[in-house]
Amino acid sequence: MAAERGGCSLEAVPLPPEVRESLAELELELSEGDITQKGYEKKRAKLLARYIPLIQGVDPSLQAENRIPGSSQATAAVSKQQKSRSTNSRDERFRSDVHTEAVQAALAKYKERKMPMPSKRRSVLVHSSVETYTPPDNHSAPPDVTTGLVEHLHHERPQVASVRGIPRGYNSSILETADGVPVNSRVSSKIQQLLNTLKRPKRPPLKEFFVDDFEELLEVQQPDPNQPKPEGGQMTVLKGEPLGVVTNWPPSLLAALQRWGTTQPKTPCLTALDTTGKAIYTLTYGKLWSRSLKLAYTLLNKLTSKNEPLLKPGHRVALVFPNSDPVMFMVAFYGCLLADLVPVPIEVPLTRKDAGSQQIGFLLGSCGVTLALTTDVCQKGLPKAQTGEVVTFKGWPRLVWFVIDGKHLAKPAKDWHPQVRDASADIAYIEYKTSKEGSAMGITISHASMLAHCHALTQSCGYSEAETLTNVLDFKREAGLWHGVLTSVMNRMHVVSIPYALMKVNPLSWIQKVCSYKARVAVVKSRDMHWSLLAQRDQRDVNLSSLRMLIVADGANPWSISSCDAFLNVFQSRGLRPEVICPCASSSEALTVAIRRPPDLGGPPPGKAVLSMNCLSYSVIRVDTEEKLSVLTVQDVGQVMPGANVCVVKVDGTPYLCKTDEVGEICVNSGATGTAYYGLLGITKNVFETIPVTAAGVPVSDQPFTRTGLLGFIGPDSLVFVVGKLDGLMVVNIRKHNADDVVATALAVEPMKFVYRGRIAVFSVTVLHDDRIVLVAEQRPDASEEDSFQWMSRVLQAIDSIHQVGVYCLALVPANTLPKAPLGGIHISETKQRFLEGALHPCNVLMCPHTCVTNLPKPRQKQPDVGPASMIVGNLVAGKRIAQASGRDVTQLEDNDQARKFLYLADVLQWRAQTTPDHPLFLLLNSKGTVASTASCVQLHKKAERVAAALMEKGRLNVGDHVALVYPPGVDLIATFYGCLYAGCTPITVRPPHPQNLATTLPTVKMIVEVSKSACILTTQGIMKLLKSKEAATAVDIKTWPTILDTDDIPKKKVANIFRPPSPDMLAYLDFSVSTTGILAGVKMSHAAASALCRSVKLQCELYPSRQIATCLDPYCGLGFALWCLCSVYSGHQSILVPPLELESNVSLWLSAVSQYKVRVTFCSYSVMEMCTKGLGTQTDVLRMKGVNLSCVRTCMVVAEERPRIALTQSFSKLFKDLGLSARSVSTTFGCRVNVAICLQPNRLRKLAEQGTAGPDPTTVYVDMRALRHDRVRLVERGSPHSLPLMESGKILPGVKVIIAHTETKGPLGDSHLGEIWVSSPHNATGYYTVYGEEALHADHFSARLSFGDTQTVWARTGYLGFLRRTELTDASGERHDALYVVGSLDETLELRGMRYHPIDIETSVIRAHKSIAECAVFTWTNLLVVVVELEGSEQEALDLVALVTNVVLEEHYLIVGVVVIVDPGVIPINSRGEKQRMHLRDGFLADQLDPIYVAYNM
């Protein structure tokens, strides 16, 4: 190489210090892998250019480099180790850097398509711990010490005032949905970008489907008629050469040890090195024999428990030795064999949290291991319990730890001799391996297999006595154990063992040892060759001519070819002969499968193949001739082992032999394979006892074969080629991809700037019935956000071009955070586990479900509408009744005169003030639970009179004027309401603004006052000051308030005459409420409707003056307002009023009040129930001690305008069962804007329950969630997949009729059909009250008629989807019970892929996805599904949620999430009824006001 040739004379040239410094930096960059070989040479040449005349022999091409514009770009992005070998030396197409060039060419095809970059809060960018900044030990050797620690910035988040319950800003016209929001924010431009990205052409459309236990059809990939198919003949079993007969071959490995230990005791057996490369100890064969004997004697005779020997022959023993102590390991291994014990070598557990350590524990437990052998030093380093004993690691059995250093061993008795038997089928040792899923399995190797394997290796490697071998591999397992501990002893060889720690400090150490010991054989991995390349310039005097074999243990890995090529390229000039490089293939189950032999051992010339990646993905072998981009260059791994038969079988199903041009799993039949997975009979049969069959089904042999887990084929000259491993196989859409190939492609995208070379993991996860590819890499601490994102996008494009497969998720994690395998490398299964559990803590995530997931069900095409008449006929034919139900008839129930006499609530109050003046009606509690104020009938009447007088005199109001009542919950609110009725004015109750949050709460007040055309505002002095304050002026125009009167000290005056309405249809009050979709809707309630509502509630709940009722609801709208202000006056019962706001300072206030006043009936909202459940979860014992007892409660009703929240009501019941609350007493209600009370579960049933004639409990049914999306109801069993529990919403009120109508045709529907709930009742509201006379738009909400059937009745449309179902239960009167099930609001449903989704269902799935998700809300924006999750945990976890949220929504709802927004707890606005305000959230998101922790745009 030019650099070397120039290097000799470089010493003589005096270079200025800054040039030397730059050169040193370059060296470091190269050693870290930050720069490629080519790039290094180019930069070095540039630095030295002006000294060129002084330096002879610099390759002229290097000087010319400067002329090539932009070439540095191409060379920086380089895959594995490049060579600058001149092109004529061999066919251009076999260059192993061809892959890099392919990747670069592929990327050039993509114009820089702009992908929206995720936005991230600044604090997330600051990694949490300093250790994150030490670069990991990756494949590029010594760690970089130049990276300074980044300053740790702690960003305080500004405290944003709570946005819960904000109304929509009223600049948009009233009753407009949020679709009209003008958007010009950062967020929406990103969404636009995302949409552009999604317009790119998808994979070819897929044709067929399979049925997923329902008519929901997931598409399945049909074979492409043009896909490549194997055309060769059927392969035949390939037979290896016979095992040669060796004279004097020992009958067992122990016999060989005995022979060498007694006849050649001084011969060196093993040399151990320390981390500086010095030989610290050489074990001779004599010492190995004597120390093994001592250990065997001690184990069998000196270890007892309860006077019994601890160990018996055949027992398993764990060997726990560090990688730096091969001597002790060897003694322990042979000591166990001599004692007839089975050694189980494992890694040293360092912490309780080691990756995979728990699995090793399971393995030890299943092998029945009770004793662990270790060294003194190692034992001291293990974590200890307080007692000083080694801790029991997680998942491990209890072990006795025995230190085998000399002083602990006993000298064998004179008459004791071990039995050195011939090799038998008994287990010799157990080697562990980790399966693809991460479980540790023990592979048993018998004495006979061990001997046969040593024999086969000796023959194929031509080992001879006293040869020297350097071993860089782990001596505890696989090739390191087979060559360096077993076969070496068989042949009395001398092994020089290079510890991993030494390799990290000095990657050249193994080459130096080959030189100094004149080693004939070296056993390495391609990684070791790569490392030594990076450091080889330090050594001028290296000579590798003594090597006759360089065994590359991972030669079966597709990347090893480039390491082999590059290594030969550099070291050929130092005595390395090309034929010395011997890749081999092995597997834990079949031991060595094939090894390339030098020509002097009869090996054919090496083979290479350039294969089409596309054909390989269909398991077909095609040599690529067209210089395509996507090719895989593979080298052979030599010939089959002596004495073995090999064939290739199909991977799945019956093991049919493959065709000659087909890739399959390599199977081996020989005396030298493993025999079983210890204790696992089922998979043992599958793997170790496979019988391959021909296409006709005829077994190819009567001997079983062992599956190797290697995927490959037999090439020309009977050479074995391996193209991948079963463990790394990912099957996406019937095409097969190899994890290692995908890693190689990712590495070819300029990796060294952004990620660590050796720390990339690729695996697949199953989402929606298919494998999805996930790529995880460690990001360098100095890579900027933009750079990393850029790199990620390029990796996606490269993999897409070269493998024609999409990556589902690409995640970057901070440096040093991926779980490591024992000797470097990534622990893949543990990484996958963390990904699926949401414990990976990435710092960057890019998900591409839109491009990968191609098997979604077809979007639903709406069928041409079937007419309503034919639907009815269809239902009748099917024997279904029309879905119609009603409450009890009111007219039959009114038995007394009073009910008929008073239509007007004002009259009722006057009558009560005269007949029962001192009867207490209201009792208001404060947060301490003490009575803040009360009102009797006469007090309320007098206060109302004073208010009426003030309105007429001070306010100069006329009959019919509208008055806004802005009061906190209390008696004043009720008194002023009746004052308005006395004066003939129309009251509107308005929630007062929040003094700490005027900016968001005051506009709502202003909006209601303006929309309702209020002529006057009644309020308290404090609120009046607030409305006119300077702070208020910043939020609204305070000059435009109407007259504001405070009622704190109005004079005691009577009104001359109390107003009596001329007709019951006259407007009594307006009820304003902001719906969950952000629409402010006021409804008109007439006097007749108001008293009809009170009458229905009175009859349903059996209210009369001697009753007490506790109400913990907001008094401003809906049923909450009616229960607070109207019902007590009408029915005469006493209301105990608990303002929900007071629960914020005293959570137990409501339940304590219920207990203290022994209340039978109580009302609350979901938000109150949730506060109690969350806030009192751990305090039930404390409450019991305080005497709280809820056994008095007959009915606790949740007032709601939504689908019943089963999970919440159940956990509430369960939690307070300990305080005497009966589960039967908790029930739900349903009302909406057009009718505030449609269903209430009455307590009448409870009373009857005590008499033994129980009424029906609220019934729960399970429906298929997928059918609901198609507007169908399909009842299923509890627990069946995709089932959704629905609870009926209570019993329909007296006087109320309900029918289910088709949303579009408006025809009546049959029983158990999903449609819109329509209601007819005397207490329906009479219409919407809006400013601009838009009533026409919504007139049909209040006066709808069926298009067919009963076309006379006038109905109000509730805007809710639901169904009626006649249950088997009867109520007290013996009638069948009709249950109404509310599914959700039509306004809120999301129309996606032609189907109707209810946000709550998606949200429920998402909340279950990870423990740190506190709350979730979803909405759509331009057909993208946006999921907002509140993160209750550290910001580190934020990015874990992106993949989990995407997965769960795909799996359970067949939807692709477009944007995942992660925010702080409390950001999702929730109104006073406990409903999520999804539209406010959407507006906040689009206006960029949420201050999200992270926003991920899924591609």
Side-chain angles (χ1 to χ4, degrees):
M1 291 189 78
E4 266 85 63
R5 291 203 299 277
C8 314
S9 51
L10 196 54
E11 302 308 313
V13 178
L15 292 176
E18 63 273 17
V19 175
R20 285 195 179 278
E21 205 169 298
S22 306
L23 280 174
E25 262 176 43
L26 265 186
E27 295 278 330
L28 196 66
E29 277 188 51
L30 183 62
S31 71
E32 254 292 73
D34 288 349
I35 186 172
T36 59
Q37 188 66 40
K38 265 190 196 160
Y40 164 82
E41 276 150 19
K42 204 184 272 182
K43 288 193 170 173
R44 185 172 183 275
K46 261 192 188 154
L47 277 172
L48 300 175
R50 63 177 81 154
Y51 310 100
I52 288 283
L54 310 170
I55 304 170
Q56 276 67 49
V58 171
D59 187 334
S61 68
L62 288 181
Q63 300 169 340
E65 288 281 18
N66 315 357
R67 294 200 302 272
I68 304 173
S71 64
S72 59
Q73 183 60 34
T75 47
V78 167
S79 104
K80 339 215 183 41
Q81 312 67 16
Q82 270 65 19
K83 306 126 309 294
S84 52
R85 174 188 288 204
S86 59
T87 43
N88 56 9
S89 62
R90 59 167 214 216
D91 177 3
E92 190 57 358
R93 300 194 48 240
F94 285 123
R95 282 195 4 250
S96 38
D97 53 351
V98 84
H99 194 62
T100 304
E101 289 161 19
V103 169
Q104 294 310 318
L107 289 175
K109 285 202 311 190
Y110 281 85
K111 287 200 290 296
E112 281 304 311
R113 187 179 281 110
K114 197 101 159 78
M115 291 196 178
M117 205 180 116
S119 48
K120 188 186 287 192
R121 186 186 289 164
R122 176 73 201 112
S123 54
V124 185
L125 307 182
V126 179
H127 295 319
S128 51
S129 67
V130 175
E131 67 181 14
T132 352
Y133 283 96
T134 56
D137 48 297
N138 55 331
H139 282 19
S140 46
D144 177 4
V145 283
T146 53
T147 352
L149 295 186
V150 170
E151 290 295 309
H152 287 289
L153 315 165
H154 287 290
H155 290 267
E156 283 299 313
R157 282 198 60 213
Q159 287 300 310
V160 181
S162 157
V163 279
R164 294 195 179 261
I166 337 168
R168 300 247 329 277
Y170 59 99
N171 45 5
S172 50
S173 64
I174 309 311
L175 284 173
E176 170 196 61
T177 59
D179 291 350
V181 178
V183 183
N184 46 5
S185 69
R186 199 170 69 187
V187 175
S188 56
S189 62
K190 284 199 178 152
I191 291 184
Q192 200 45 54
Q193 254 178 38
L194 176 52
L195 286 174
N196 296 343
T197 312
L198 297 183
K199 283 178 192 150
R200 57 192 277 196
K202 276 268 183 69
R203 300 271 127 64
L206 309 171
K207 309 289 178 295
E208 299 292 319
F209 340 95
F210 65 85
V211 176
D212 184 17
D213 74 60
F214 185 53
E215 56 265 62
E216 210 46 314
L217 305 165
L218 284 181
E219 306 223 13
V220 308
Q221 173 91 4
Q222 273 316 92
D224 170 5
N226 307 322
Q227 78 180 41
K229 296 185 178 62
E231 292 153 7
Q234 182 174 293
M235 74 158 302
T236 50
V237 175
L238 178 63
K239 293 185 168 21
E241 64 186 33
L243 266 178
V245 181
V246 183
T247 48
N248 196 0
W249 185 255
S252 70
L253 190 56
L254 290 177
L257 173 61
Q258 184 176 26
R259 179 199 295 174
W260 307 131
T262 50
T263 64
Q264 302 269 359
K266 294 274 192 287
T267 317
C269 167
L270 176 70
T271 298
L273 307 173
D274 65 10
T275 47
T276 63
K278 279 215 287 290
I280 37 177
Y281 185 78
T282 294
L283 180 71
T284 61
Y285 277 94
K287 271 275 186 273
L288 175 59
W289 173 245
S290 62
R291 288 172 65 178
S292 304
L293 275 181
K294 262 184 164 178
L295 177 60
Y297 177 75
T298 309
L299 290 177
L300 289 179
N301 299 293
K302 298 296 177 199
L303 296 179
T304 54
S305 83
K306 305 192 179 94
N307 296 330
E308 281 288 300
L310 187 64
L311 299 166
K312 295 198 174 68
H315 276 187
R316 273 79 49 209
V317 176
L319 269 49
V320 185
F321 291 88
N323 199 48
S324 53
D325 201 343
V327 173
M328 293 300 242
F329 172 80
M330 209 156 173
V331 170
F333 191 88
Y334 282 105
C336 287
L337 293 187
L338 279 169
D340 237 350
L341 299 168
V342 177
V344 185
I346 58 167
E347 308 305 331
V348 178
L350 293 177
T351 64
R352 298 199 58 166
K353 288 218 263 314
D354 272 11
S357 162
Q358 193 171 346
Q359 291 294 337
I360 296 288
F362 294 151
L363 172 68
L364 296 180
S366 65
C367 290
V369 172
T370 53
L371 178 76
L373 304 185
T374 187
T375 65
D376 199 26
V377 176
C378 183
Q379 201 263 359
K380 288 198 170 96
L382 291 172
K384 306 287 188 300
Q386 259 108 17
T387 54
E389 290 179 8
V390 176
V391 296
T392 300
F393 295 97
K394 194 173 173 197
W396 283 43
R398 281 196 67 79
L399 295 179
V400 176
W401 291 82
F402 181 65
V403 172
I404 67 159
D405 295 48
K407 57 177 184 281
H408 300 283
L409 302 184
K411 204 167 183 218
K414 288 271 189 296
D415 54 352
W416 183 82
H417 295 292
Q419 290 179 300
V420 178
R421 284 198 290 264
D422 290 0
S424 65
D426 296 340
I427 301 176
Y429 68 95
I430 294 178
E431 178 173 312
Y432 85 88
K433 76 162 251 186
T434 308
S435 74
K436 187 177 182 177
E437 283 68 48
S439 52
M441 322 214 291
I443 293 156
T444 61
I445 285 90
S446 69
H447 284 274
S449 297
M450 183 165 71
L451 182 70
H453 189 223
C454 288
H455 190 166
L457 281 179
T458 302
Q459 183 170 328
S460 52
C461 300
Y463 285 139
S464 58
E465 283 184 34
E467 274 194 305
T468 305
L469 174 148
T470 51
N471 177 23
V472 190
L473 307 187
D474 179 4
F475 49 74
K476 296 191 283 296
R477 49 200 297 249
E478 295 185 339
L481 175 71
W482 307 330
H483 290 270
V485 175
L486 306 179
T487 311
S488 60
V489 168
M490 204 77 214
N491 294 295
R492 195 173 60 82
M493 292 163 66
H494 177 198
V495 175
V496 181
S497 188
I498 318 268
Y500 178 64
L502 169 58
M503 283 295 291
K504 280 170 68 178
V505 181
N506 174 11
L508 268 182
S509 51
W510 71 271
I511 295 182
Q512 292 158 355
K513 295 307 162 203
V514 169
C515 288
S516 54
Y517 284 94
K518 296 279 178 285
R520 306 279 289 131
V521 181
V523 188
V524 299
K525 280 194 167 171
S526 46
R527 170 182 74 186
D528 308 317
M529 300 162 80
H530 170 55
W531 279 10
S532 55
L533 279 179
L534 296 175
Q536 44 89 15
R537 283 169 316 284
D538 312 343
Q539 294 297 328
R540 304 279 174 272
D541 48 358
V542 164
N543 188 333
L544 296 180
S545 57
S546 65
L547 275 185
R548 64 178 187 79
M549 274 189 98
L550 174 58
I551 298 172
V552 185
D554 59 348
N557 183 323
W559 323 342
S560 66
I561 180 169
S562 61
S563 292
C564 294
D565 284 357
F567 188 78
L568 178 63
N569 201 21
V570 169
F571 286 98
Q572 199 165 359
S573 59
R574 311 211 181 149
L576 181 71
R577 301 189 302 286
E579 65 275 12
V580 163
I581 294 182
C582 298
C584 74
S586 62
S587 83
S588 302
E589 290 82 359
L591 310 189
T592 310
V593 176
I595 187 163
R596 191 191 289 173
R597 310 185 198 179
D600 54 339
L601 292 175
K608 287 206 173 158
V610 179
L611 304 177
S612 151
M613 202 86 98
N614 181 44
C615 295
L616 278 180
S617 71
Y618 293 104
S619 297
V620 178
I621 300 151
R622 290 284 177 271
V623 172
D624 186 84
T625 49
E626 303 168 19
E627 285 285 355
K628 280 218 192 72
L629 292 178
S630 47
V631 293
L632 180 70
T633 308
V634 285
Q635 62 183 352
D636 70 284
V637 287
Q639 293 163 294
V640 178
M641 294 299 283
N645 298 322
V646 165
C647 64
V648 181
V649 301
K650 295 206 187 297
V651 175
D652 301 315
T654 314
Y656 288 110
L657 287 179
C658 286
K659 295 186 173 165
T660 50
D661 58 347
E662 188 177 5
V663 173
E665 185 175 5
I666 298 172
C667 295
V668 178
N669 151 248
S670 90
T673 62
T675 48
Y677 291 123
Y678 188 90
L680 302 170
L681 301 175
I683 53 175
T684 289
K685 194 161 179 49
N686 203 0
V687 171
F688 293 93
E689 297 166 28
T690 296
I691 306 281
V693 293
T694 63
V698 183
V700 299
S701 152
D702 50 355
Q703 296 290 308
F705 278 67
T706 298
R707 288 176 174 267
T708 61
L710 298 173
L711 302 175
F713 60 94
I714 308 297
D717 287 337
S718 298
L719 291 173
V720 179
F721 284 84
V722 175
V723 294
K725 291 196 180 77
L726 209 51
D727 277 358
L729 186 66
M730 304 180 291
V731 184
V732 182
N733 261 343
I734 80 173
R735 288 178 58 222
K736 302 184 173 74
H737 303 276
N738 199 304
D740 287 338
D741 297 338
V742 176
V743 170
T745 301
L747 279 176
V749 186
E750 328 167 79
M752 306 322 156
K753 293 184 189 161
F754 314 116
V755 299
Y756 289 103
R757 167 179 191 94
R759 315 219 20 93
I760 294 186
V762 168
F763 50 85
S764 61
V765 295
T766 305
V767 181
L768 203 64
H769 306 291
D770 206 354
D771 275 5
R772 314 284 175 197
I773 296 178
V774 179
L775 189 152
V776 183
E778 286 191 0
Q779 178 178 331
R780 289 180 175 272
D782 46 359
S784 76
E785 212 54 12
E786 281 75 14
D787 289 346
S788 301
F789 186 72
Q790 195 67 40
W791 181 77
M792 291 161 89
S793 334
R794 290 176 66 101
V795 166
L796 294 178
Q797 292 166 0
I799 293 172
D800 190 71
S801 279
I802 289 195
H803 303 273
Q804 282 96 48
V805 67
V807 174
Y808 176 68
C809 175
L810 206 162
L812 296 184
V813 299
N816 255 351
T817 54
L818 285 181
K820 293 188 182 66
L823 294 182
I826 301 293
H827 200 293
I828 304 280
S829 53
E830 182 83 5
T831 304
K832 175 174 173 174
Q833 197 52 38
R834 287 190 194 178
F835 172 79
L836 291 171
E837 286 169 0
L840 206 52
H841 306 333
C843 48
N844 260 314
V845 167
L846 192 52
M847 300 229 25
C848 310
H850 291 284
T851 42
C852 292
V853 180
T854 49
N855 62 336
L856 284 173
K858 280 217 166 128
R860 173 182 172 208
Q861 306 292 313
K862 291 253 169 74
Q863 297 306 318
D865 284 335
V866 182
S870 48
M871 283 178 85
I872 284 218
V873 174
N875 282 330
L876 294 174
V877 172
K880 288 216 171 115
R881 59 187 203 100
I882 296 286
Q884 190 165 357
S886 49
R888 291 170 295 157
D889 188 357
V890 186
T891 45
Q892 298 167 5
L893 295 169
E894 295 182 337
D895 40 3
N896 59 0
D897 293 338
Q898 185 233 321
R900 293 197 190 86
K901 198 162 63 190
F902 296 113
L903 278 173
Y904 303 114
L905 282 166
D907 293 0
V908 180
L909 179 56
Q910 292 166 62
W911 176 74
R912 288 203 185 283
Q914 283 157 13
T915 52
T916 54
D918 300 324
H919 175 65
L921 280 181
F922 297 104
L923 197 127
L924 179 78
L925 300 182
N926 62 18
S927 62
K928 296 189 180 67
T930 49
V931 177
S933 58
T934 57
S936 64
C937 300
V938 72
Q939 285 167 332
L940 189 65
H941 166 66
K942 287 193 167 153
K943 200 154 192 191
E945 280 198 312
R946 295 215 299 267
V947 170
L951 281 172
M952 291 170 184
E953 290 169 19
K954 272 198 189 168
R956 300 214 172 85
L957 295 188
N958 303 317
V959 167
D961 278 348
H962 295 183
V963 178
L965 313 179
V966 185
Y967 287 91
V971 176
D972 280 357
L973 179 71
I974 305 166
T976 50
F977 175 81
Y978 286 100
C980 289
L981 296 189
Y982 281 8
C985 297
T986 306
I988 298 107
T989 48
V990 184
R991 178 192 308 277
H994 195 292
Q996 267 76 57
N997 196 2
L998 281 181
T1000 50
T1001 54
L1002 192 59
T1004 311
V1005 177
K1006 187 87 163 82
M1007 189 174 175
I1008 295 175
V1009 169
E1010 286 183 0
V1011 170
S1012 63
K1013 298 187 185 157
S1014 295
C1016 168
I1017 296 175
L1018 290 185
T1019 186
T1020 63
Q1021 259 173 8
I1023 294 174
M1024 178 167 159
K1025 281 187 187 136
L1026 192 63
L1027 295 181
K1028 295 180 169 176
S1029 67
K1030 272 212 276 287
E1031 292 76 25
T1034 60
V1036 296
D1037 179 2
I1038 56 173
K1039 295 197 186 75
T1040 54
W1041 288 120
T1043 318
I1044 303 181
L1045 299 181
D1046 85 76
T1047 53
D1048 284 1
D1049 28 66
I1050 40 175
K1052 290 188 178 173
K1053 274 198 178 165
K1054 273 193 173 181
V1055 255
N1057 57 338
I1058 289 174
F1059 175 80
R1060 199 159 194 279
S1063 137
D1065 297 330
M1066 185 178 168
L1067 185 61
Y1069 66 93
L1070 291 178
D1071 178 336
F1072 271 91
S1073 146
V1074 179
S1075 79
T1076 54
T1077 48
I1079 297 171
L1080 177 71
V1083 291
K1084 299 187 276 200
M1085 288 290 283
S1086 66
H1087 286 277
S1091 57
L1093 171 64
C1094 293
R1095 183 176 56 199
S1096 276
V1097 173
K1098 172 183 191 251
L1099 293 169
Q1100 188 82 323
C1101 300
E1102 299 187 341
L1103 304 175
Y1104 30 82
S1106 60
R1107 273 288 168 82
Q1108 274 188 323
I1109 283 190
T1111 304
C1112 188
L1113 291 167
D1114 272 325
Y1116 301 107
C1117 61
L1119 186 56
F1121 163 78
L1123 288 167
W1124 188 286
C1125 294
L1126 312 180
C1127 293
S1128 271
V1129 168
Y1130 186 93
S1131 309
H1133 61 271
Q1134 183 183 10
S1135 285
I1136 296 154
L1137 306 175
V1138 183
L1141 207 65
E1142 304 289 6
L1143 265 66
E1144 287 184 9
S1145 44
N1146 175 8
V1147 189
S1148 60
L1149 174 65
W1150 167 52
L1151 294 178
S1152 305
V1154 166
S1155 162
Q1156 182 188 341
Y1157 292 96
K1158 307 223 173 346
V1159 170
R1160 281 176 163 197
V1161 178
T1162 179
F1163 293 90
C1164 70
S1165 64
Y1166 279 125
S1167 49
V1168 165
M1169 196 171 256
E1170 194 162 25
M1171 275 168 95
C1172 292
T1173 314
K1174 283 186 177 164
L1176 300 172
T1178 51
Q1179 296 177 27
T1180 43
D1181 295 342
V1182 183
L1183 292 176
R1184 199 186 298 105
M1185 303 278 282
K1186 287 187 180 163
V1188 174
N1189 181 351
L1190 303 178
S1191 54
C1192 52
V1193 177
R1194 293 257 181 82
T1195 307
C1196 165
M1197 283 178 269
V1198 192
V1199 172
E1201 301 190 3
E1202 58 181 297
R1203 176 199 303 175
R1205 299 191 200 171
I1206 298 191
L1208 180 57
T1209 51
Q1210 282 177 347
S1211 52
F1212 178 80
S1213 314
K1214 218 180 263 167
L1215 188 60
F1216 297 108
K1217 190 174 75 185
D1218 297 352
L1219 298 180
L1221 182 71
S1222 148
R1224 293 190 59 171
S1225 62
V1226 180
S1227 63
T1228 60
T1229 70
F1230 174 63
C1232 60
R1233 290 282 69 204
V1234 298
N1235 184 323
V1236 297
I1238 297 171
C1239 304
L1240 281 179
Q1241 186 74 31
N1243 61 342
R1244 204 163 63 87
L1245 304 173
R1246 303 286 164 264
K1247 226 169 50 190
L1248 291 162
E1250 289 149 25
Q1251 299 159 12
T1253 55
D1257 261 341
T1259 53
T1260 299
V1261 295
Y1262 292 84
V1263 298
D1264 187 310
M1265 204 170 354
R1266 294 164 307 174
L1268 274 187
R1269 293 171 205 154
H1270 293 269
D1271 287 343
R1272 290 199 292 274
V1273 176
R1274 177 168 174 255
L1275 298 179
V1276 293
E1277 290 302 310
R1278 175 182 183 170
S1280 57
H1282 301 281
S1283 63
L1284 172 75
L1286 291 176
M1287 185 161 82
E1288 69 163 297
S1289 285
K1291 195 162 189 277
I1292 296 170
L1293 261 77
V1296 174
K1297 285 201 305 194
V1298 168
I1299 195 164
I1300 304 295
H1302 192 284
T1303 49
E1304 276 143 23
T1305 63
K1306 301 194 172 70
L1309 289 173
D1311 203 29
S1312 292
H1313 275 58
L1314 188 70
E1316 186 179 8
I1317 301 167
W1318 288 14
V1319 58
S1320 163
S1321 126
H1323 63 256
N1324 276 7
T1326 50
Y1328 281 125
Y1329 181 87
T1330 54
V1331 208
Y1332 306 112
E1334 279 180 23
E1335 289 93 332
L1337 273 178
H1338 301 284
D1340 76 327
H1341 279 202
F1342 293 90
S1343 53
R1345 292 174 196 265
L1346 289 171
S1347 57
F1348 188 81
D1350 164 15
T1351 52
Q1352 295 312 302
T1353 312
V1354 175
W1355 301 89
R1357 298 174 55 180
T1358 62
Y1360 281 80
L1361 282 175
F1363 60 94
L1364 278 166
R1365 182 165 172 270
R1366 171 146 283 194
T1367 61
E1368 295 310 310
L1369 301 165
T1370 52
D1371 59 21
S1373 56
E1375 294 166 19
R1376 291 284 290 280
H1377 171 64
D1378 285 305
L1380 173 65
Y1381 294 91
V1382 177
V1383 176
S1385 153
L1386 262 166
D1387 278 351
E1388 287 215 320
T1389 55
L1390 311 174
E1391 283 267 341
L1392 290 162
R1393 299 179 59 79
M1395 288 172 276
R1396 202 194 297 271
Y1397 286 87
H1398 294 272
I1400 185 70
D1401 297 328
I1402 301 175
E1403 289 158 1
T1404 306
S1405 298
V1406 169
I1407 288 173
R1408 278 203 318 266
H1410 192 273
K1411 62 180 188 312
S1412 298
I1413 298 178
E1415 186 54 275
C1416 164
V1418 302
F1419 52 83
T1420 51
W1421 177 251
T1422 58
N1423 283 337
L1424 287 179
L1425 177 64
V1426 181
V1427 178
V1428 180
V1429 292
E1430 290 184 354
L1431 169 70
E1432 200 166 42
S1434 74
E1435 287 187 358
Q1436 262 190 321
E1437 293 178 357
L1439 281 78
D1440 284 315
L1441 307 182
V1442 178
L1444 296 183
V1445 166
T1446 308
N1447 292 356
V1448 76
V1449 176
L1450 255 174
E1451 281 281 352
E1452 297 186 12
H1453 302 279
Y1454 304 154
L1455 286 178
I1456 293 177
V1457 177
V1459 187
V1460 181
V1461 186
I1462 294 156
V1463 295
D1464 296 301
V1467 168
I1468 295 173
I1470 287 180
N1471 67 14
S1472 59
R1473 294 190 295 272
E1475 298 161 335
K1476 295 172 197 168
Q1477 304 286 84
R1478 296 181 183 90
M1479 289 307 124
H1480 289 328
L1481 184 67
R1482 177 164 104 163
D1483 298 349
F1485 169 67
L1486 294 168
D1488 223 1
Q1489 292 163 350
L1490 301 186
D1491 182 28
I1493 299 171
Y1494 192 79
V1495 182
Y1497 301 92
N1498 285 347
M1499 298 294 154

